[in-house]
Amino acid sequence: MLPKDWLVRLQQKDRKSIAKLITLLEGTSLERNEILRHIYPLVGKAHRIGITGPPGAGKSTLISAWTTYLRSLGLTVGIIAVDPSSPFTGGALLGDRVRMNRHATDHGVWMRSLSNRGVMGGLSLATHEVAHLLDVAGYDVLFLETVGVGQAELEIVHNADTVMLVLPPGAGDGVQIAKAGVMEIADILVVNKADQPFADRLVAELQDVLRISRKKDWTPPIIRTVASQNRGMEELWNAAQTHRGYLQEPKRASKKAENRLIQEVSLYLHQQIRLLVEEELAKPIRRQQMKQIIQTKSSPQDLIDKWWAEGFLSYKPNTDPHSQKGGKT
Amino acid sequence: MLPKDWLVRLQQKDRKSIAKLITLLEGTSLERNEILRHIYPLVGKAHRIGITGPPGAGKSTLISAWTTYLRSLGLTVGIIAVDPSSPFTGGALLGDRVRMNRHATDHGVWMRSLSNRGVMGGLSLATHEVAHLLDVAGYDVLFLETVGVGQAELEIVHNADTVMLVLPPGAGDGVQIAKAGVMEIADILVVNKADQPFADRLVAELQDVLRISRKKDWTPPIIRTVASQNRGMEELWNAAQTHRGYLQEPKRASKKAENRLIQEVSLYLHQQIRLLVEEELAKPIRRQQMKQIIQTKSSPQDLIDKWWAEGFLSYKPNTDPHSQKGGKT
C-alpha cells in the first residue's frame, strides 16, 4: 500500500519513507507505476556521479572523503553502491563499510548497497529508480559506485551525469584499463593514492592515452587525490562541477536526457519480458513441448519459431507483470 | 552460405569448417537454424567440463596440463575459454596463452577464446553453440573455462556436465568463495598449487564447508593438483569420470538434459527479443514518442504500457531476426 503522504515525506528525506518506496518499487506494477508517474516530473536536480575502477583503487574511501567535504559545504549526499559481479569481491560490503563509519549518524547522507538480485537488467533498473527517488528527495549529489569495470558496471555508471574512473598507481594496468573501453565513458580520471610511488608515471601514461584517443570536445581532466587523507576533494568537486556545466549546454543536455531515457525504457522492457518469458517457460504445456524436443533431438530454435507463430509473448498491460511471476497458469 | 558437405567436414574435425560454422552461427537465422537442425540430433557424446575459480587459481595451466594427459590417453580435447567480465583481467588472453604453447600444433586439440560481444545472453548462447559444434565434431572432452565466478560465468559453466571449482591455497577467501553460491554448482573441488603452504588448511576448510552444507546425493570430492608440474591429472580425470557415471543414471540424465534445454531455450528467446527491442527502439516513431515523454516529464512505464496495448513486439518467425538488426524500418 502506498501511504497517502508519501511524496511529501520523500521530499522531506524521511528515511523510513525512502526505504518503503524502494520496497514498493520492487513490488507490484500498480504501485510502481503510481510512484514513477509522480516522481518523473520532479527528477533532474541531483548531480549524479558514477564512480568506477578496479578493486583496490580506493573508491569507497574516496566517496567517504568526498562526502565529508560536500557535507562541510552544506550539501546532502546519496550513495548507491552497486555490486553486480563476483561473489568474492565482497563488494556488497563496501557500502556497509562507509555506512558504518563517520556518516552513519548524519541525516544529510543516505546510503544503500544494491547487490545482484540475480538479473543484470534488474540491478541497473533498481539503480535508476533508487537514484530517481533520492533525486526527488532532494539529495544534492548522488554517488553511483560500482565495484569493478565489467559490462554490467559500465552500464550502471553510464547513467550518471559525470563518470569518474578511479585508478591506483603502480597497478601497472592503468593504461590497459584506460584503453579498454572504460576510458570512453570516463569524464574525469582520478589517480587516487597519489602519494604513492608511480603516481606520476600513471598520470603521464594517462596523458599519453588521452592525447592519442580523445577527439571529442570534452577532455577528461586527471585529478590526483589521497582519499585516506581527504586530499584532493576540492579539486575533484570543481572538476565535477565544470563537467556538469559543460553538460548543461542545451543540445548536450537533451542528448544526454534522450540517451538515458532510451536506456531506461530498454531496461523496463527487458525486465517485463524476462518475467513474461520465465512465466511462459514454467507452464506445463511448454515443459511438455521441451521434453518432446529432447526426445526427438530436434532444434530448440524450431520450437521457438513455432511459439512465435502462435502468438507467444503477448503482454496484457492491464494485468500485473510482477504478481504474474508466481505463475497462476 | 552453408557449404554442401559441412556436416561431414565438421565430423572430420576440419578446423576451417568449424571456424566457418561458428561465424555462420553468429549470422543470419536461416543458416543458423539449418546448422542447429542438423546438429541437435548428433549432440551428446562429449564430456563437457566447466572450469571456474578466482583469477590466479591456475585454471589455464590446469587445463593445459590436463589436456596433455588426455592426449596421452588418445582422447581429443576442445577448449572454450570465455571471458564475460572485466576488461582488465586480460582473460580473453588466457585462451591464447594455452593456444600458443605445446598444444598449438596438435590437431587433437581445438581451442578458442570467446570474449564478450556486449551482451551477456549472447555469450552464454555462443558457448552453448560452439560446444555443440565441437561435440558433433567428435571431441571427447570439452573444457568450458571462465575467468571468474560472477553471475555470467556461473551461467556458462552451469551448462557443463561436470563443474569444477579451482581454488588456490592461501588466498584466504577459499571458504568464502565456497560458501558464496559457487559451491552449490561445483561437482568437483580442485585445490591447485597443492605444493604451496596452506594447501592442507584449504582442504580442511573445504571439508568443513562440505560437512555443513551438502545434503545432496553427490558429495564433491576434493582433488589436489600441481598443474604446473602436471601432477594430479589422473586423479582429476578419474573424479570427472566418476561424476559422469553418476550423471548417467537415467532419471538424473533426463533432468540434466531438461535443465540444459530450458536454459538454452531461454537464451535463444532473450537473444531474439533483445534484437527485436533494439530494432523497435531505433524506429523514428519510438524516438519521437520518447522525446515527447522527456518534454512532458511523464513516466516511461506509461509509454511502455501503451506500446504493449498496441501490440508491441510481435515477432514474425518467417523473417530473419539477425538481418533485421540493421533496421530497415
Side-chain angles (χ1 to χ4, degrees):
Chain A
M1 277 300 300
L2 205 49
K4 264 268 157 67
D5 52 350
W6 66 270
L7 192 54
V8 176
R9 281 170 163 226
L10 171 63
Q11 288 175 311
Q12 290 165 347
K13 298 192 180 61
D14 179 70
R15 274 154 194 266
K16 276 189 189 163
S17 296
I18 296 173
K20 172 86 175 160
L21 289 170
I22 290 173
T23 309
L24 286 173
L25 282 174
E26 292 168 359
T28 74
S29 73
L30 293 175
E31 279 154 349
R32 257 178 70 87
N33 287 358
E34 184 69 14
I35 296 169
L36 295 174
R37 210 169 280 140
H38 283 87
I39 273 177
Y40 270 98
L42 305 170
V43 153
K45 289 198 199 78
H47 187 177
R48 300 182 189 199
I49 299 175
I51 311 266
T52 192
K59 295 185 292 294
S60 289
T61 311
L62 185 84
I63 290 174
S64 189
W66 198 351
T67 298
T68 303
Y69 174 74
L70 292 171
R71 293 297 294 136
S72 77
L73 303 180
L75 296 169
T76 54
V77 178
I79 305 167
I80 308 171
V82 190
D83 180 15
S85 61
S86 155
F88 24 5
T89 57
L93 298 173
L94 283 176
D96 296 326
R97 221 187 300 149
V98 178
R99 193 205 317 239
M100 299 303 254
N101 69 13
R102 51 188 157 175
H103 307 299
T105 55
D106 178 357
H107 275 266
V109 180
W110 186 97
M111 163 79 224
R112 177 150 166 178
S113 299
L114 299 176
S115 62
N116 207 325
R117 292 186 288 177
V119 281
M120 290 299 171
L123 194 53
S124 285
L125 191 57
T127 309
H128 267 286
E129 291 181 348
V130 174
H132 290 340
L133 277 181
L134 297 181
D135 187 332
V136 172
Y139 288 96
D140 300 304
V141 177
L142 299 183
F143 290 118
L144 312 179
E145 176 197 5
T146 64
V147 298
V149 297
Q151 194 61 34
E153 286 90 341
L154 293 187
E155 189 183 296
I156 287 161
V157 292
H158 202 39
N159 123 49
D161 300 309
T162 302
V163 177
M164 305 227 170
L165 173 61
V166 185
L167 297 170
D173 53 2
V175 171
Q176 193 189 331
I177 296 154
K179 279 179 185 162
V182 190
M183 196 80 154
E184 280 158 42
I185 70 152
D187 302 306
I188 294 170
L189 299 172
V190 183
V191 173
N192 191 30
K193 306 181 184 180
D195 55 343
Q196 287 185 10
F198 301 114
D200 289 341
R201 193 168 133 191
L202 176 58
V203 170
E205 286 174 338
L206 290 173
Q207 282 166 338
D208 281 347
V209 176
L210 285 179
R211 233 191 317 276
I212 299 160
S213 65
R214 279 280 159 168
K215 272 157 201 118
K216 288 195 217 156
D217 43 2
W218 172 262
T219 302
I222 302 169
I223 311 290
R224 293 159 188 258
T225 59
V226 187
S228 59
Q229 297 167 29
N230 297 311
R231 280 164 53 194
M233 295 307 123
E234 191 178 346
E235 292 79 358
L236 212 50
W237 180 229
N238 288 342
Q241 283 185 298
T242 304
H243 181 254
R244 203 187 191 196
Y246 159 85
L247 282 182
Q248 270 156 0
E249 189 270 314
K251 217 168 161 184
R252 237 169 250 141
S254 78
K255 188 74 201 150
K256 185 96 186 170
E258 213 183 313
N259 286 341
R260 189 183 288 174
L261 186 73
I262 292 171
Q263 193 204 14
E264 218 164 330
V265 164
S266 165
L267 289 172
Y268 279 120
L269 275 172
H270 284 297
Q271 175 84 337
Q272 288 186 324
I273 290 168
R274 190 163 35 235
L275 295 175
L276 287 169
V277 167
E278 235 175 62
E279 184 203 6
E280 197 62 39
L281 294 187
K283 287 181 182 169
I285 171 77
R286 301 295 180 209
R287 293 278 161 155
Q288 197 48 46
Q289 289 171 316
M290 287 193 275
K291 273 184 190 165
Q292 263 167 26
I293 77 154
I294 292 173
Q295 278 151 19
T296 58
K297 295 197 159 203
S298 49
S299 162
Q301 188 59 63
D302 287 340
L303 177 63
I304 291 171
D305 283 350
K306 187 170 152 266
W307 290 352
W308 283 114
E310 291 167 2
F312 180 66
L313 214 70
S314 50
Y315 176 77
K316 301 144 215 86
N318 297 330
T319 63
D320 180 353
H322 288 267
S323 71
Q324 276 178 10
K325 200 185 168 179
K328 299 157 210 125
T329 50
Chain B
M1 275 300 298
L2 206 48
K4 263 270 155 68
D5 52 350
W6 66 271
L7 192 54
V8 176
R9 280 169 163 229
L10 171 63
Q11 289 175 310
Q12 290 166 346
K13 299 191 179 62
D14 179 71
R15 276 156 192 263
K16 275 191 189 160
S17 296
I18 296 174
K20 171 87 176 161
L21 289 170
I22 291 174
T23 309
L24 287 173
L25 281 173
E26 291 168 0
T28 75
S29 73
L30 293 175
E31 278 153 350
R32 256 178 73 86
N33 289 357
E34 183 70 13
I35 296 169
L36 295 174
R37 210 170 279 140
H38 283 87
I39 274 176
Y40 270 97
L42 305 170
V43 153
K45 287 197 200 82
H47 187 176
R48 299 181 190 200
I49 299 175
I51 311 266
T52 191
K59 296 185 291 295
S60 289
T61 312
L62 184 85
I63 290 174
S64 188
W66 198 351
T67 298
T68 303
Y69 175 73
L70 292 171
R71 292 298 294 138
S72 77
L73 302 180
L75 296 169
T76 53
V77 178
I79 305 168
I80 308 171
V82 190
D83 180 17
S85 60
S86 155
F88 19 8
T89 57
L93 298 174
L94 283 176
D96 295 327
R97 221 187 298 149
V98 178
R99 194 204 315 238
M100 298 303 255
N101 67 14
R102 51 188 157 175
H103 306 299
T105 54
D106 178 355
H107 274 266
V109 180
W110 186 96
M111 164 78 223
R112 176 146 166 181
S113 301
L114 298 176
S115 63
N116 207 324
R117 291 185 290 175
V119 281
M120 289 299 171
L123 194 53
S124 285
L125 191 57
T127 310
H128 268 286
E129 291 180 347
V130 174
H132 290 340
L133 277 181
L134 297 181
D135 187 332
V136 172
Y139 288 96
D140 300 303
V141 177
L142 300 182
F143 291 119
L144 312 179
E145 176 197 5
T146 64
V147 297
V149 296
Q151 194 61 34
E153 286 92 340
L154 294 186
E155 190 182 295
I156 287 161
V157 291
H158 202 39
N159 123 50
D161 300 308
T162 302
V163 178
M164 306 227 168
L165 174 61
V166 185
L167 297 170
D173 54 2
V175 172
Q176 191 190 331
I177 296 154
K179 279 179 183 162
V182 191
M183 197 81 153
E184 280 157 44
I185 69 152
D187 302 306
I188 294 170
L189 300 171
V190 182
V191 174
N192 191 30
K193 306 182 184 179
D195 56 343
Q196 286 186 11
F198 302 112
D200 289 341
R201 192 168 134 190
L202 176 58
V203 170
E205 286 174 338
L206 291 173
Q207 282 166 339
D208 281 347
V209 176
L210 285 179
R211 236 192 314 278
I212 299 161
S213 65
R214 277 280 159 166
K215 272 156 201 123
K216 288 193 216 157
D217 43 0
W218 171 264
T219 302
I222 302 169
I223 311 290
R224 293 161 187 258
T225 59
V226 186
S228 58
Q229 296 166 31
N230 297 309
R231 280 162 53 194
M233 296 307 122
E234 192 178 346
E235 294 78 359
L236 210 51
W237 180 229
N238 288 341
Q241 284 185 297
T242 304
H243 181 256
R244 204 188 190 195
Y246 160 85
L247 281 183
Q248 271 156 359
E249 189 271 315
K251 217 169 158 182
R252 235 169 251 139
S254 77
K255 187 74 201 152
K256 185 95 187 172
E258 213 183 312
N259 286 341
R260 188 183 288 174
L261 186 73
I262 292 170
Q263 194 205 13
E264 217 165 331
V265 165
S266 165
L267 290 172
Y268 279 121
L269 274 171
H270 284 297
Q271 175 84 337
Q272 288 186 324
I273 290 168
R274 192 164 32 238
L275 295 176
L276 286 169
V277 167
E278 235 175 63
E279 182 204 7
E280 197 61 41
L281 294 186
K283 288 181 181 167
I285 171 77
R286 301 295 180 208
R287 293 280 160 151
Q288 196 47 47
Q289 289 171 316
M290 287 192 276
K291 273 186 189 163
Q292 262 167 27
I293 78 155
I294 292 174
Q295 277 151 19
T296 59
K297 294 196 162 207
S298 50
S299 162
Q301 188 59 63
D302 287 340
L303 177 64
I304 291 170
D305 284 351
K306 187 170 152 265
W307 289 352
W308 284 114
E310 292 167 2
F312 179 65
L313 214 71
S314 49
Y315 177 77
K316 300 144 216 86
N318 297 331
T319 63
D320 179 353
H322 288 268
S323 72
Q324 277 178 10
K325 200 186 170 180
K328 300 158 208 123
T329 51

